[in-house]
Amino acid sequence: VPVGTLQRIFEDGSHPHMFIIHVVFSTKSRLKLIESSIKQRIHGYLRSIAENKQARVLIINGMPDHFHLLLGYLFLYSYYY
């Protein structure tokens, strides 16, 4: 992650009510099965699932045995009545 990326996300101010979630997916037994040739396809697949669930993908990164996603959900509704 480039230096200052998270700082820019939080200082942006355009999304003051964003719920941030860190998600990690790993291969079974953490076997190094994710080759660089399919890494971009997996990135796209995970991104499309997150966006389909109304999440903003802030950061996505992968290793041979796991992937990290930093997702942001905007508060669109009030939970107080």
Side-chain angles (χ1 to χ4, degrees):
V1 175
V3 174
T5 300
L6 291 176
Q7 183 177 356
R8 281 193 301 279
I9 290 168
F10 293 111
E11 288 180 351
D12 178 1
S14 61
H15 303 296
H17 305 291
M18 185 181 285
F19 184 59
I20 306 295
I21 300 172
H22 177 223
V23 182
V24 179
F25 292 97
S26 75
T27 59
K28 187 174 182 177
S29 302
R30 295 294 282 246
L31 296 175
K32 297 182 186 319
L33 301 173
I34 303 169
E35 298 177 3
S36 59
S37 61
I38 64 167
K39 194 181 228 184
Q40 290 304 316
R41 286 182 57 201
I42 295 173
H43 277 206
Y45 180 71
L46 294 174
R47 181 178 298 278
S48 68
I49 291 172
E51 290 172 352
N52 188 35
K53 300 295 183 184
Q54 311 302 312
R56 179 177 173 194
V57 178
L58 304 174
I59 298 173
I60 185 168
N61 193 15
M63 301 300 291
D65 62 348
H66 68 281
F67 275 90
H68 291 265
L69 283 87
L70 191 64
L71 304 173
Y73 280 95
L74 295 179
F75 289 110
L76 301 176
Y77 307 101
S78 173
Y79 295 102
Y80 298 101
Y81 297 97

